[in-house]
Amino acid sequence: MRLKFGSRLTLGGAVIAAVLGFGAQAYAQSTVKSPTLDAVKKRGQLSCGIDTGIPGYAYQDSSGKWQGLDVAFCRAIAAAVLGDPEKVKFTGLTSKVRFTVLASGEIDVLIRDSELTFARNTQLGLAEPAVNFYTGQTFMVRKSLGVSHVKELNGATICVETGTTLETNIADYNRANNIKIGTLLFERPEEAFAAVEAGRCDGYTDDGGSVAAARSTMKNPNDWVFLPETIGREPLGPYVRQGDEAWFNIIKWTHFAMLEGEVLGLTRDNIDAAKVNPTNPDLRKFLGAEGDLGKFLGLDNDWSYRVIKMVGNYGEVYEATFGSKGLGFPRGMNNLWTNGGLMMPYPWY
Amino acid sequence: MVRRPSLRARIAQWVFLTALVVVAVFLASNAADNLSRRHIAFGFGYLANTANFDIPFRLIDFGPDDTYARALLVCVLNTLLVSAMGIVAATLIGLLIGLMRLSSNWLIRNMGLVYVELVRNTPILVQIIFWYVAVLHNLPGPRQSLHLPAGVLLNVRGFYLPVPVMGQNGPSLIVLALALLVAAPVVARLTIGGSRLVKLALAMPLLAILLFCAGIEHIDTPSLTGFNVTGGVQLPPELAALWAGLSIYSGAFIAEIVRSSVQAVSEGQREAARSIGLKPRLVLLLVVLPQALRMMVPPLTSQYLNLIKSSSLGAAVAYPEIFQIFAGTVLNKSGREIETFAIVMAIFLSINLAVSAAMNAYNRRVMLVTAR
């Protein structure tokens, strides 16, 4: 078929218009459409699944207020989305039920020192927006046993929390090294800690942060040592349901905002001063003086300011929970990449 | 409209049944929708996957290379084990305490009362954790094990008994010994040339024991090697705590069933037994208990069923039963909630229906003929 020049022009114009129109529509949808975000805003409260209670990640302080690295992440999301870090409903979940509760829609996000794995991503239909704690599976044993390497635990019994990747890691380690480390599986950490203390097990294993937490609950923490070697690798982070990419993005970039705060040297105390008249272009964009960071997430432009102002940057939170003001657990892999760690927020543009 | 009551009732039943089916179909399609939205296909094929975890206490061999199906079998056996042990112990405790409650001695009667009220009015989970954390955790560590007579060891890791290990001829000798035991009562009734073979029948069990001993190669005694006691057979504290919790708790309820059933036997029966000169012990054994038993069986059945269901509380004290291993580790590793819980419910249902059927059959045998 041959078309006259005029009609070709018309056709071309129509195609361009259609492409533009479609693009504009797609653009509009991608910025705002998130059922979870809408539900959270409507409810006026973020529903966050956390640990039932473990020092470092999620624990209640003497006044009964939830504290911890995971808890702070929940509060940061609430600050970004709702403008108030206290508008969070915390639901303590055992390791066994956590993914079922998330999949059923009872909570908006699960931040419960959960290891991010291929199987959970693909088989459970869950998405893994970020890593908020890098660690490895660590063993804690009684000093008096004189053990210095995981391999020397052949024949020993180790207490473990059930429903975790830890059991599998030990089974794999046993097979790879042709030894036999026995496990005793507990539903909740409280009974597991009691069994370790009583000598029912020779030691306790979990990710590094949790083992530090376990040691802090022992009658005499100095009787217990960490074995220097870890098995497996445990990147811990939040989980959301698949199928809501906009919500996924909010979780992911809230984490990066906390890291960016540390990169830019913004803290709860100095951010107000820094916001007055920022000159550094990175700072201007991050604090919403320039550009549209918030709009692309379906939030307002002050979201990142609120995260730092109301909750603090990642380094501040780590210091208060795992660092010198908390469990005294070395920052190690969780340092910024500039300090030899693995924490590197993606660039914003 | 419909006048005949029978037809009306039938229509009502059909309407109700249809409504039930509609609800069931709605729930099933809802579940199917959710599954397909999460890209999960319903099916039991995952049972053939490799387990890749360890089960600390088991009656049959199990290793990380085995399948989820085998893990299921292991934990079903563990559940059955603790349930069977619990039922036997709870019945004995219940019988003892129930009879104590009926004693004419003030002290014994009130000890029984205190036991029942104390145990019956505290939650069973609290009791199980109490036995585990507050009692068994106070035992000494493996290096300071208590040495009991006959090579038995006791420490915080459990109760270790020596166990005979059979030699090469062991299995055939055991079969022979069992055959002798089974045959003994039969032989006792045989007669050859007018004389009964009682003496031979009495000798047969002795011979069986001798045969069994002949098959033993050596006795495996528990001893400390490395971190743990090895050798012998271990009763882990998790099993002991769960067993104690279940049987002591159910025992209190069974005691009340025993007491009320004995009291329900009419006074006339007792008087009649006494008036023909039976001693008090025989009155109880020959007249009162057999009649009380008939009344006990139905409520006892429901206590047994409760005990079996409560065995799932073992998850709290690390006892590897169905709920902990299958609805815990396997569920978490496979992410198959619907299938896993369907299996767990089906297993508890079949165990309980089987127990119930056995108890009902027993009940029919002991039931008073006039009651039919």
Side-chain angles (χ1 to χ4, degrees):
Chain A
M1 182 175 69
R2 281 190 67 97
L3 291 172
K4 281 184 202 155
F5 178 72
S7 42
R8 262 199 233 171
L9 199 66
T10 326
L11 187 67
V15 167
I16 289 166
V19 167
L20 278 178
F22 180 78
Q25 203 187 0
Y27 169 79
Q29 272 183 355
S30 70
T31 51
V32 286
K33 207 180 172 194
S34 164
T36 315
L37 177 62
D38 293 345
V40 171
K41 279 184 172 162
K42 197 173 159 204
R43 205 186 307 129
Q45 197 182 40
L46 174 78
S47 184
C48 206
I50 53 168
D51 205 296
T52 50
I54 182 158
Y57 298 105
Y59 56 97
Q60 280 164 301
D61 62 17
S62 51
S63 63
K65 196 173 180 227
W66 281 103
Q67 302 290 357
L69 187 77
D70 287 347
V71 169
F73 197 171
C74 293
R75 290 220 167 92
I77 298 165
V81 173
L82 300 167
D84 184 349
E86 301 307 317
K87 285 186 177 165
V88 187
K89 184 184 161 218
F90 292 108
T91 309
L93 299 171
T94 61
S95 51
K96 205 161 135 177
V97 302
R98 54 187 161 175
F99 298 116
T100 316
V101 171
L102 176 66
S104 72
E106 267 177 69
I107 53 176
D108 303 310
V109 57
L110 176 77
I111 313 181
R112 193 211 169 277
D113 49 284
S114 302
E115 195 192 347
L116 309 178
T117 68
F118 171 84
R120 289 168 178 174
N121 188 186
T122 54
Q123 291 164 28
L124 301 187
L126 300 174
E128 301 162 347
V131 179
N132 71 335
F133 198 82
Y134 287 99
T135 179
Q137 183 171 343
T138 308
F139 289 81
M140 169 184 93
V141 294
R142 226 178 249 280
K143 215 181 252 172
S144 58
L145 285 179
V147 174
S148 59
H149 193 280
V150 178
K151 273 184 198 147
E152 293 168 22
L153 287 173
N154 189 12
T157 308
I158 302 294
C159 283
V160 190
E161 222 185 313
T162 185
T164 58
T165 46
L166 308 166
E167 310 153 48
T168 312
N169 289 348
I170 293 181
D172 285 342
Y173 190 82
N174 279 341
R175 280 204 289 185
N177 294 290
N178 202 18
I179 57 171
K180 176 109 188 63
I181 302 174
T183 51
L184 202 60
L185 307 174
F186 285 86
E187 183 97 327
R188 302 191 310 150
E190 285 84 352
E191 280 84 28
F193 294 170
V196 174
E197 182 85 78
R200 174 65 186 93
C201 304
D202 297 295
Y204 184 76
T205 188
D206 207 327
D207 64 77
S210 301
V211 174
R215 193 170 85 143
S216 74
T217 69
M218 294 288 125
K219 268 189 206 119
N220 194 353
N222 290 328
D223 284 353
W224 300 85
V225 286
F226 301 126
L227 296 185
E229 163 215 34
T230 58
I231 67 172
R233 45 183 190 263
E234 303 248 330
L236 309 182
Y239 274 94
V240 293
R241 291 178 291 277
Q242 280 181 5
D244 191 342
E245 284 73 14
W247 182 245
F248 177 96
N249 289 348
I250 290 173
I251 310 300
K252 174 175 170 177
W253 290 99
T254 301
H255 172 63
F256 285 155
M258 291 174 78
L259 287 177
E260 190 69 48
E262 193 180 1
V263 173
L264 295 173
L266 297 170
T267 64
R268 294 178 71 158
D269 297 331
N270 72 14
I271 191 166
D272 279 327
K275 199 174 188 269
V276 176
N277 198 5
T279 47
N280 175 345
D282 284 343
L283 208 54
R284 286 181 65 81
K285 286 173 201 158
F286 183 68
L287 292 175
E290 249 175 55
D292 278 328
L293 292 186
K295 203 172 119 194
F296 293 122
L297 288 173
L299 304 173
D300 63 60
N301 246 357
D302 264 345
W303 71 281
S304 47
Y305 161 77
R306 285 196 303 271
V307 167
I308 305 296
K309 177 66 197 163
M310 294 170 167
V311 179
N313 71 38
Y314 183 85
E316 283 181 280
V317 171
Y318 189 96
E319 201 55 16
T321 54
F322 281 99
S324 55
K325 291 178 206 147
L327 293 171
F329 193 67
R331 182 109 180 243
M333 287 185 282
N334 295 302
N335 255 311
L336 291 178
W337 81 106
T338 45
N339 296 331
L342 294 172
M343 288 294 180
M344 181 192 271
Y346 296 177
W348 299 84
Y349 286 100
Chain B
M1 285 280 293
V2 187
R3 291 271 170 87
R4 248 190 334 176
S6 65
L7 184 61
R8 214 159 47 199
R10 205 169 297 164
I11 289 173
Q13 284 170 19
W14 276 108
V15 168
F16 183 69
L17 197 64
T18 317
L20 266 187
V21 170
V22 168
V23 170
V25 168
F26 169 73
L27 288 177
S29 74
N30 194 26
D33 274 0
N34 281 326
L35 285 179
S36 69
R37 212 157 357 110
R38 288 169 52 202
H39 314 293
I40 296 174
F42 184 84
F44 294 94
Y46 74 103
L47 287 176
N49 294 356
T50 306
N52 203 17
F53 63 86
D54 186 40
I55 300 180
F57 175 76
R58 60 209 175 218
L59 298 173
I60 54 172
D61 278 342
F62 180 79
D65 301 334
D66 285 315
T67 60
Y68 286 148
R70 179 121 181 133
L72 177 63
L73 180 64
V74 170
C75 55
V76 167
L77 288 176
N78 284 347
T79 293
L80 289 175
L81 175 73
V82 75
S83 303
M85 288 168 65
I87 284 175
V88 171
T91 310
L92 292 177
I93 292 173
L95 195 63
L96 178 72
I97 304 291
L99 294 179
M100 278 170 72
R101 294 267 279 129
L102 295 163
S103 166
S104 50
N105 181 317
W106 182 89
L107 183 65
I108 292 181
R109 191 170 65 237
N110 283 291
M111 272 165 59
L113 178 73
V114 168
Y115 174 92
V116 169
E117 295 305 335
L118 198 70
V119 169
R120 199 168 59 162
N121 295 309
T122 45
I124 182 167
L125 180 60
V126 173
Q127 291 185 30
I128 292 170
I129 293 180
F130 168 80
W131 290 112
Y132 189 58
V133 174
V135 178
L136 294 175
H137 276 177
N138 290 323
L139 289 167
R143 286 171 198 196
Q144 296 82 35
S145 299
L146 300 173
H147 290 265
L148 305 179
V152 177
L153 290 183
L154 181 64
N155 63 39
V156 72
R157 308 268 169 101
F159 193 62
Y160 296 82
L161 300 162
V163 64
V165 175
M166 308 306 279
Q168 270 189 339
N169 301 325
S172 44
L173 286 170
I174 289 178
V175 170
L176 207 59
L178 282 176
L180 278 172
L181 284 180
V182 172
V186 182
V187 172
R189 288 186 195 154
L190 290 179
T191 49
I192 288 178
S195 63
R196 297 183 70 187
L197 300 173
V198 177
K199 274 185 191 159
L200 180 63
L202 283 177
M204 281 166 73
L206 278 177
L207 192 62
I209 293 171
L210 281 176
L211 279 175
F212 180 77
C213 293
I216 296 174
E217 194 180 67
H218 67 276
I219 306 256
D220 190 14
T221 45
S223 63
L224 183 77
T225 41
F227 293 100
N228 276 316
V229 172
T230 52
V233 59
Q234 181 208 14
L235 175 71
E238 292 75 35
L239 173 60
L242 182 60
W243 183 29
L246 288 175
S247 38
I248 288 170
Y249 184 79
S250 300
F253 288 89
I254 293 176
E256 284 301 277
I257 293 172
V258 170
R259 182 189 60 80
S260 60
S261 307
V262 169
Q263 281 178 337
V265 174
S266 77
E267 191 52 34
Q269 294 286 327
R270 261 174 264 235
E271 273 175 22
R274 273 198 297 272
S275 64
I276 60 169
L278 284 180
K279 287 177 182 149
R281 200 171 57 88
L282 291 178
V283 172
L284 187 71
L285 279 180
L286 297 178
V287 178
V288 178
L289 273 185
Q291 295 189 65
L293 195 62
R294 296 189 175 116
M295 282 175 273
M296 272 179 227
V297 175
L300 206 53
T301 308
S302 79
Q303 280 309 317
Y304 289 170
L305 302 185
N306 273 337
L307 187 144
I308 294 168
K309 286 181 283 181
S310 301
S311 72
S312 58
L313 295 172
V317 290
Y319 182 69
E321 43 70 60
I322 301 176
F323 193 66
Q324 199 215 28
I325 295 297
F326 199 68
T329 306
V330 173
L331 169 63
N332 243 280
K333 286 169 65 69
S334 65
R336 303 295 191 127
E337 289 104 359
I338 297 182
E339 295 91 334
T340 302
F341 275 100
I343 291 173
V344 169
M345 286 196 284
I347 287 171
F348 273 112
L349 193 66
S350 19
I351 295 175
N352 274 0
L353 286 178
V355 169
S356 202
M359 291 296 281
N360 285 343
Y362 179 70
N363 191 30
R364 270 194 298 279
R365 256 187 53 201
V366 298
M367 202 159 51
L368 273 180
V369 181
T370 49
R372 283 184 196 169

